[in-house]
Amino acid sequence: MKYIESKILANQRITDDIFVLKVAYKEDDVNAGQFFMLKSWDSELTLMRPISVFKAEEDALWFMYRTVGQGTRKMAELKRGGRIRLLGPCGNGYPCGEIKGRVAVVGGGVGIPPLCHTSKLLHEQGTTVDAYLGYRDEPFALEDFEPWCTDIFVSTEHGEEGYRGFVTDLLHPEQYDVVITCGPEVMMRKVAAMCAEKDVTCYCSLEHRMACGIGACLGCSIRTKNGMKRVCKDGPVFQSTDLMW
């Protein structure tokens, strides 16, 4: 984990409230499911913001984020050529090296972006990956999953593309050796329950408010079957059977 200042290569709006930020990065490799703490301001906002890695290449990182508060609205104003501070890579990601066979990645909303980098790494090690992506209305990033996934299943709650309903309606866990999920807690709880019923291994990446991102402040602690754990340091990825929903 390192604290660095990086150059902004692009910051593009792709829907009404979704942006993709590309920054220069030539540091450590980034594992599937890891995140960075980001900050582009000096005074009015103190804390960095945790953003998961959407895509990673040899000399650049992509972060996809939704504008929901002061921090992300400040990020949306960033221009190419500007500077941004990064702390990371943070957290423990998905154990891709231990995952074999056929895998389903199940994402909802802004839980979708980290599953793209995850799908890439799984594909590169010879794993067969299907993606189940759920949106409120307008789908995004589908083309980014296409190189790594055999099949892509899309649902929208209120839109006109894909299946109209919840993405969990499309999932049949018994068809897979492992299911990986990231998104709203209600969706992940449903995925975890479906996997438990079929005795399929499931990994969940939790979303939580974070202050430090390195496990020092304990602000993101949760109860698990193995005691208190810090989402930022011990997670954000946990095996679903360890969680006390």
Side-chain angles (χ1 to χ4, degrees):
M1 182 189 306
K2 296 179 181 178
Y3 186 83
I4 63 172
E5 185 174 284
S6 181
K7 181 179 180 180
I8 297 167
L9 303 178
N11 192 29
Q12 180 182 4
R13 183 197 297 266
I14 60 171
T15 73
D16 287 344
D17 60 352
I18 299 288
F19 287 75
V20 174
L21 173 67
K22 181 181 180 182
V23 304
Y25 185 79
K26 296 182 180 181
E27 305 292 333
D28 301 328
D29 290 339
V30 180
N31 294 328
Q34 287 189 299
F35 66 95
F36 281 74
M37 303 295 288
L38 277 63
K39 186 175 182 179
S40 61
W41 47 85
D42 290 313
S43 55
E44 66 271 33
L45 299 174
T46 303
L47 301 177
M48 305 180 85
R49 297 297 190 266
I51 307 290
S52 58
V53 175
F54 171 41
K55 295 191 291 185
E57 291 187 353
E58 186 174 335
D59 58 356
L61 293 176
W62 280 256
F63 300 96
M64 185 179 289
Y65 62 96
R66 171 174 280 136
T67 51
V68 294
Q70 284 183 291
T72 47
R73 286 195 293 268
K74 284 285 186 184
M75 287 173 56
E77 298 171 359
L78 297 174
K79 305 298 183 184
R80 180 178 178 179
R83 311 295 294 182
I84 189 167
R85 278 159 284 181
L86 310 175
L87 175 65
C90 300
N92 292 309
Y94 299 105
C96 289
E98 302 172 14
I99 295 174
K100 309 295 180 184
R102 193 176 181 200
V103 176
V105 296
V106 185
V110 289
I112 288 172
L115 297 180
C116 184
H117 183 49
T118 301
S119 297
K120 176 179 183 288
L121 296 182
L122 288 170
H123 174 83
E124 289 177 343
Q125 71 180 31
T127 305
T128 299
V129 183
D130 290 340
Y132 293 79
L133 309 178
Y135 304 86
R136 282 186 308 197
D137 37 55
E138 182 182 358
F140 52 82
L142 294 179
E143 68 280 1
D144 297 292
F145 281 83
E146 289 175 355
W148 322 121
C149 298
T150 302
D151 290 306
I152 300 175
F153 303 90
V154 175
S155 74
T156 52
E157 294 181 38
H158 309 296
E160 298 181 353
E161 295 189 49
Y163 170 77
R164 188 180 182 91
F166 299 116
V167 71
T168 49
D169 297 339
L170 303 175
L171 177 66
H172 299 281
E174 66 274 15
Q175 298 177 354
Y176 299 94
D177 298 289
V178 176
V179 174
I180 287 172
T181 185
C182 184
E185 182 177 317
V186 63
M187 182 205 76
M188 292 195 293
R189 289 180 66 165
K190 175 65 173 178
V191 172
M194 293 169 66
C195 290
E197 182 179 350
K198 301 298 182 180
D199 196 27
V200 175
T201 299
C202 176
Y203 293 99
C204 302
S205 181
L206 303 188
E207 296 182 357
H208 207 290
R209 288 186 177 273
M210 297 178 187
C212 70
I214 59 174
C217 72
L218 306 180
C220 63
S221 296
I222 61 167
R223 292 178 62 205
T224 74
K225 293 180 181 178
N226 297 307
M228 298 298 294
K229 298 291 183 181
R230 299 157 296 178
V231 173
C232 69
K233 183 73 172 180
D234 303 309
V237 174
F238 297 90
Q239 193 159 334
S240 61
T241 51
D242 291 336
L243 296 171
M244 298 178 66
W245 300 104

